[in-house]
Amino acid sequence: MNIDSRLEELIIKLYEVEGVKFGDFKLKSGIQSPAYFDLRVIVSYPQLMREVSQVLWEVAKNAQKFVSICGVPYTALPIASVMSVDNNVPMLIRRREAKDYGTKKMIEGKYEKGDVCLVVEDVVTSGSSVYETVELLNEYGLQVKDAVVLLEREQGGTERLKKDGVNLHSVITMTQLVRVLKKHGKIDEKMFDSVLKFVAENRFDKPTKGSGDIPANKAKAAMTFKERANLCSNSVSKKLLEIMEQKQSNLAISVDLTNCKDILQMVEQVGSKVCIVKTHADIIDDFNEEFVEKIRELAQKHNFLIFEDRKFADIGKTVLHQYKGGVHKIADWADITNAHTVPGAGVVKGLKKAAGNRQRACLLIAEMSSSGNLAKGDYTKATVEIAKENSDFVIGFICQHKLIDDPVFIHMTPGVKLGEGTDSLGQLYITPNDAISVNKTDVIIVGRGITEALDPVSEAELYRKAGYDAYLERLV
Ligand code: 5BU
C-alpha cells in the first residue's frame, strides 16, 4: 500500500473511533473550535495503536540519531511503549508529578548524561506540552533534537519548537486530515472551510495576515488553490485563487499588443482559458477610456482579473500619482499592479495609499526572467521582507522560484514558453512544468507563446493544461 492510501486509511479510522470530532466545541482556553481531538481512545483499538506507532516510527527516521524515546504524558505514553518494544529502542517515562517519597525522580528509566532522546506526542497545537517535556529531559542532562507527532494542527507549534531548537516531524497535518475526510464524504465543504479558517485565525504565532513563516509541513501538504483562498485576507488574492480553482487555470496571458482593437480581440478569444489578463497600458498607441470599459466587461464575462504590468519604481509620493492619475489611471481599472522594490518599502506605501478603498493588490518583482538581471540574492530576500510587512496589499511576487512557504502569497512567473529558448533581446524562457512543478511557483505568465501562435486559442489551451497539470502533480 502506498504512503498516501495508508495515511488516508489511518485518518478515516481515527475519525471512525471518534478520536477526531467535528461540531462546535469549547476548548480549555475558552475559544470555540469546529474540531476536537481526543486520541486517548486509541488504547481501545490495538491494531490502530500499532498502526499509529508504526507511522510515527517512519517519520522518526527523519530525526537525528537518538538512543531513547519519551512520550509526552498521557496519550503518547502507550504509543511510545509500542514504538519502543517493536523497534527495540529504550524508553524513558516522564512523570507528571514527583513522587512524594523516594528519589523524587521525574524521569524514569536508564539514561546517561548527554544521551539524545526523541520525544513522542499525539497532537501538537502550540508546542508547549512537547516543550515542557523537552525542558524536563534537559534538566536531567538529556538532549532533545527532534520530536515526532501524529497530528500537527498547524497553529504554530512547529515554528515555536524550531525556535527552541527542536525539529518537529509530523505524520498528518490538519489540512491533510480535513482534505481526506472531505474526499471521503465524512465532512462537508462548509466544515472543511471552517476548520481551515479556524486554523488560520488561531495560530499562536498569529500570521493570519500573511506575515511570518508558515510551518514547513504546510508546504509539504501542498495546499490547493481553494484552501489557500480561504486563508487570504486580501479580497483580490482570494478571488484570484478561487478563479484559478474554478477555471482550472493558472495561466496569465500577457497581451503585449499595441492597439486596443487587437488586444480586445485576443482577450475575447482566450479569456475563458486564463485567470489573469496582463497589460502594458503604456505600449498601447490608442489607449482610451472605452478600452478600459471593454476590457472590464470582458473580465466580468470570462471571469479573469486584470493585471497592469506597470512596474512602479519611484518614491512613494511619485508612484501615488502615477498609479491613480496621469493618462492611464491604473488604480481605477486594474485589479493588480506590480512594483520594483529598488526604492524600498515607500513604493508600496505610496501605491497602497493611492488604492484607497478600492479592492486592489500589488505584486513585488523579486526576480526577473531577463538575462543578466540584478534581482537576486539579498535584493530578492529584502523584497520578500517588504511583502511580509505589507501583506494586506502585497499578495505575492513576480519571480522565477517559490520564495516563501506562506500560502497566502502567490508566485507568478513570466518568461514561460513551451520549448524554452530565448528571444533576441535577452528574454530567457523556461517551460510551464519547470515554473510550476520544479520551481514551485503558482501562475505562468505567457505572452508571445500564445499571442504569436497561428492558433492562439488552441495554444492557450495547451498552456492552460500544461500549467494546471503541473500544479496538480505538485499536490500529490
Ligand atoms: P513574453 O512574450 O512571454 O516573453 O512576455 C513576457 C511578459 O512578461 C512581458 O510583458 C514582459 O514585460 C513581462 N516580464 C518578463 O518577461 N520578465 C520579467 O522578469 C518581468 C516581466 Br518582471
Side-chain angles (χ1 to χ4, degrees):
M1 194 188 297
N2 70 31
I3 295 279
D4 286 342
S5 45
R6 185 175 175 191
L7 283 188
E8 280 193 22
E9 270 188 23
L10 176 62
I11 289 168
I12 290 165
K13 190 77 192 152
L14 290 171
Y15 173 82
E16 282 170 356
V17 303
E18 299 196 329
V20 189
K21 291 185 221 175
F22 295 89
D24 192 12
F25 304 95
K26 192 165 184 160
L27 301 182
K28 258 190 285 177
S29 56
I31 51 174
Q32 299 292 129
S33 166
Y36 183 74
F37 301 94
D38 183 2
L39 299 180
R40 278 169 296 201
V41 68
I42 296 175
V43 293
S44 303
Y45 302 89
Q47 266 187 342
L48 180 57
M49 173 64 84
R50 170 138 292 148
E51 177 63 6
V52 165
S53 309
Q54 283 175 354
V55 287
L56 278 164
W57 187 253
E58 285 300 313
V59 293
K61 290 181 183 156
N62 299 322
Q64 293 185 49
K65 204 166 178 305
F66 52 89
V67 298
S68 57
I69 64 174
C70 177
V72 177
Y74 289 99
T75 313
L77 273 181
I79 301 175
S81 309
V82 177
M83 289 168 75
S84 162
V85 172
D86 276 358
N87 301 289
N88 196 25
V89 58
M91 173 168 135
L92 299 171
I93 297 178
R94 182 209 147 172
R95 283 188 176 279
R96 270 269 191 222
E97 296 87 23
K99 297 189 289 189
D100 53 6
Y101 57 92
T103 59
K104 293 209 161 117
K105 249 168 75 179
M106 293 290 284
I107 301 288
E108 304 284 358
K110 197 171 171 329
Y111 55 88
E112 303 285 336
K113 274 208 166 20
D115 276 359
V116 177
C117 178
L118 175 83
V119 170
V120 180
E121 177 63 304
D122 59 333
V123 180
V124 162
T125 307
S126 70
S128 60
S129 325
V130 167
Y131 194 64
E132 271 173 33
T133 300
V134 172
E135 269 187 318
L136 196 69
L137 289 163
N138 289 161
E139 270 175 42
Y140 283 77
L142 289 138
Q143 302 184 62
V144 179
K145 295 182 174 165
D146 300 87
V148 290
V149 64
L150 179 62
L151 176 68
E152 214 279 357
R153 293 187 52 149
E154 299 173 302
Q155 286 172 247
T158 299
E159 297 65 37
R160 147 89 206 271
L161 289 167
K162 180 114 197 136
K163 277 192 195 131
D164 293 319
V166 178
N167 284 316
L168 183 68
H169 309 272
S170 58
V171 174
I172 303 165
T173 61
M174 187 80 140
T175 309
Q176 276 175 321
L177 180 107
V178 287
R179 193 188 294 154
V180 167
L181 292 175
K182 189 181 81 164
K183 178 177 158 194
H184 290 269
K186 307 288 184 197
I187 58 171
D188 60 15
E189 185 91 22
K190 205 166 149 228
M191 180 54 76
F192 175 79
D193 289 346
S194 82
V195 172
L196 288 184
K197 189 161 176 274
F198 175 84
V199 169
E201 287 173 357
N202 289 281
R203 287 180 61 93
F204 287 81
D205 51 354
K206 296 205 171 51
T208 49
K209 289 175 86 185
S211 55
D213 292 332
I214 222 73
N217 51 22
K218 187 163 266 178
K220 220 188 335 172
M223 298 175 79
T224 62
F225 293 143
K226 174 83 197 308
E227 287 163 3
R228 290 169 59 184
N230 292 332
L231 302 177
C232 291
S233 49
N234 180 296
S235 59
V236 177
S237 52
K238 190 179 181 65
K239 183 160 178 210
L240 175 58
L241 287 161
E242 281 169 0
I243 291 175
M244 287 158 73
E245 183 94 19
Q246 281 163 17
K247 292 177 78 175
Q248 304 204 341
S249 174
N250 51 349
L251 169 64
I253 183 168
S254 185
V255 194
D256 300 335
L257 306 173
T258 52
N259 72 75
C260 297
K261 186 165 153 271
D262 290 350
I263 297 172
L264 293 170
Q265 209 170 22
M266 180 63 67
V267 173
E268 173 69 289
Q269 283 186 75
V270 301
S272 64
K273 311 271 179 210
V274 302
C275 59
I276 287 178
V277 166
K278 183 172 86 63
T279 54
H280 278 300
D282 55 2
I283 66 168
I284 307 174
D285 296 330
D286 54 347
F287 180 89
N288 59 60
E289 274 180 24
E290 195 190 335
F291 167 78
V292 167
E293 255 171 54
K294 292 221 162 110
I295 197 162
R296 295 238 23 119
E297 273 169 30
L298 288 173
Q300 285 282 330
K301 177 174 167 192
H302 295 294
N303 196 23
F304 59 75
L305 297 188
I306 302 175
F307 166 18
E308 164 55 27
D309 189 0
R310 171 63 177 75
K311 298 188 181 69
F312 292 101
D314 212 322
I315 60 165
K317 176 76 170 43
T318 306
V319 299
L320 184 150
H321 290 294
Q322 288 175 322
Y323 185 29
K324 68 174 187 181
V327 181
H328 298 116
K329 300 185 179 42
I330 295 164
D332 283 346
W333 53 271
D335 303 287
I336 303 171
T337 192
N338 58 354
H340 285 295
T341 51
V342 69
V347 64
V348 175
K349 308 247 183 275
L351 293 173
K352 192 155 69 175
K353 194 160 178 205
N357 293 330
R358 302 172 179 95
Q359 298 193 344
R360 297 289 176 253
C362 179
L363 297 163
L364 295 183
I365 300 159
E367 292 176 321
M368 293 194 68
S369 61
S370 44
S371 161
N373 78 79
L374 308 178
K376 54 188 170 192
D378 287 344
Y379 181 86
T380 301
K381 279 192 202 141
T383 302
V384 172
E385 290 310 308
I386 295 175
K388 279 160 66 173
E389 281 155 22
N390 295 280
S391 60
D392 53 340
F393 183 57
V394 175
I395 61 164
F397 306 95
I398 300 291
C399 55
Q400 297 291 306
H401 309 88
K402 180 177 181 178
L403 303 171
I404 179 172
D405 268 339
D406 191 331
V408 301
F409 286 113
I410 304 171
H411 296 72
M412 303 195 191
T413 301
V416 172
K417 207 167 202 179
L418 287 162
E420 300 168 282
T422 58
D423 71 3
S424 59
L425 296 172
Q427 175 72 300
L428 301 177
Y429 288 110
I430 58 173
T431 64
N433 193 60
D434 282 344
I436 306 295
S437 192
V438 180
N439 295 353
K440 311 251 177 299
T441 67
D442 301 307
V443 174
I444 48 171
I445 300 176
V446 181
R448 287 163 287 178
I450 295 173
T451 57
E452 292 184 359
L454 283 177
D455 179 354
V457 180
S458 320
E459 205 65 14
E461 174 56 19
L462 280 184
Y463 277 96
R464 186 205 62 78
K465 189 165 178 341
Y468 205 75
D469 283 352
Y471 152 73
L472 291 176
E473 199 176 292
R474 207 176 69 189
L475 284 183
V476 181

